Amino acid sequence: MTNLFIITVIALDHQLHNPMYFFLMNLALQDLGIVSVIVPKSMINSLMGTRQISYFGCVAQIFLFISFEAFELSLLTVMAYDRYVAICHPQYYELLMNWKVCIKIVILVWVTGILYGMLHTTGTFYIPLCSNVVNQFFCEIPHLLNLACFDFNLLEIGLLGISITAGLGCSIFIIISYVMNFKVVLRIPSVKGRQKTFSTCLPHLIIFCILLVTSCSTYLRPPTNTTSYLDLVFTVLYSLLPPLFNPIIYTIRNKNIILALAKLWKF
């Protein structure tokens, strides 16, 4: 509901029609997508006392979940670049982050996420599965790979290598951009100015670190046939924690969003 409010407020309030809030609206849409892919089915199974999902439902869940996760990683990287330009090169911000550029970036991010999801889905279901019991509350790639009839899935291993490279590249880019941001922020004479900038940048960095560390801990651990409580905790952290905290960190504490929400409520 919070993500729906964010999308509605940013779409309807013309004062929020700038690149930063455009990216926030897409982030809220992505968070809504992740929650919609895995939570409703898990809740229905829990309420009905079953643990079933169809084969094609599992394929669709893998495709959509991986696509949205790839989109989130790419979008967080784009948002880091947006903050870098706004803080370190404000005189070029309108030139580098105009509407045409932002729309092209978001389209590229969506297309990349969809292609990434298709590749991982193909790699996961490339070989037949010898069991139909997934030890997780939704279809997750590491647990599905444990069900494969062969121990060696060359295609998925190659895709995991590409994922590690892409994740490492995004991490390095985000870290460097924020180091540059913090250098500029520390030179701001106003204490309020520094606090405002830090309140925008630090939450972004925290969410990204949680997403990266927990997802790597899940996907890079040695495969096992049993599920531990640690597996469940890591899965919840990287799949459900960002959609829960992104609205709180990015928008609930944002005065412009609060004012726009108040206007919409009065209307």
Side-chain angles (χ1 to χ4, degrees):
M1 290 299 296
T2 307
N3 282 301
L4 283 174
F5 276 128
I6 292 168
I7 294 170
T8 304
V9 167
I10 294 177
L12 296 180
D13 195 316
H14 293 285
Q15 293 183 352
L16 301 180
H17 290 181
N18 59 59
M20 184 180 74
Y21 292 104
F22 177 64
F23 293 139
L24 285 178
M25 184 176 69
N26 279 272
L27 185 65
L29 183 62
Q30 175 273 335
D31 288 335
L32 189 64
I34 284 184
V35 173
S36 301
V37 167
I38 62 176
V39 173
K41 179 61 177 176
S42 299
M43 293 178 65
I44 291 172
N45 284 350
S46 177
L47 293 173
M48 297 182 64
T50 63
R51 298 184 62 185
Q52 296 180 354
I53 186 171
S54 66
Y55 180 84
F56 292 104
C58 187
V59 172
Q61 199 172 63
I62 286 286
F63 166 70
L64 292 173
F65 179 75
I66 295 298
S67 298
F68 282 123
E69 285 289 338
F71 175 69
E72 179 172 17
L73 179 62
S74 302
L75 189 59
L76 289 175
T77 306
V78 171
M79 291 172 68
Y81 175 73
D82 175 72
R83 291 300 86 202
Y84 165 75
V85 176
I87 294 173
C88 298
H89 302 286
Q91 67 274 23
Y92 300 113
Y93 185 77
E94 293 185 0
L95 177 64
L96 296 176
M97 300 302 294
N98 57 67
W99 275 112
K100 288 184 178 180
V101 172
C102 292
I103 292 173
K104 288 180 180 179
I105 289 174
V106 170
I107 292 175
L108 179 62
V109 167
W110 275 106
V111 172
T112 303
I114 292 172
L115 292 176
Y116 185 77
M118 292 175 61
L119 288 174
H120 261 296
T121 305
T122 303
T124 302
F125 295 96
Y126 175 71
I127 57 180
L129 306 179
C130 291
S131 175
N132 62 351
V133 179
V134 181
N135 294 316
Q136 190 55 273
F137 66 94
F138 73 99
C139 289
E140 191 180 33
I141 288 180
H143 293 277
L144 286 172
L145 294 179
N146 291 334
L147 309 181
C149 298
F150 305 100
D151 294 332
F152 190 71
N153 190 336
L154 183 60
L155 179 59
E156 185 60 24
I157 290 175
L159 290 173
L160 286 176
I162 295 174
S163 303
I164 294 171
T165 304
L168 185 62
C170 291
S171 303
I172 293 174
F173 182 87
I174 289 177
I175 291 172
I176 292 176
S177 65
Y178 276 108
V179 168
M180 300 297 293
N181 290 346
F182 292 152
K183 285 184 178 179
V184 174
V185 170
L186 291 175
R187 293 199 294 265
I188 297 177
S190 171
V191 176
K192 290 185 178 180
R194 290 197 299 268
Q195 290 177 347
K196 181 179 179 181
T197 309
F198 275 125
S199 66
T200 303
C201 295
L202 285 178
H204 182 184
L205 195 59
I206 291 171
I207 287 295
F208 175 78
C209 291
I210 292 175
L211 174 66
L212 189 66
V213 171
T214 53
S215 58
C216 287
S217 300
T218 300
Y219 282 82
L220 300 182
R221 293 181 64 193
T224 59
N225 293 324
T226 59
T227 302
S228 65
Y229 287 109
L230 193 60
D231 293 330
L232 182 61
V233 170
F234 281 151
T235 301
V236 170
L237 285 176
Y238 86 84
S239 62
L240 298 181
L241 197 64
L244 174 65
F245 279 100
N246 278 338
I248 299 173
I249 290 175
Y250 286 112
T251 56
I252 301 302
R253 297 168 62 248
N254 188 301
K255 293 182 179 179
N256 293 331
I257 293 287
I258 298 298
L259 291 174
L261 187 60
K263 291 179 182 178
L264 184 64
W265 183 263
K266 290 180 181 179
F267 177 78

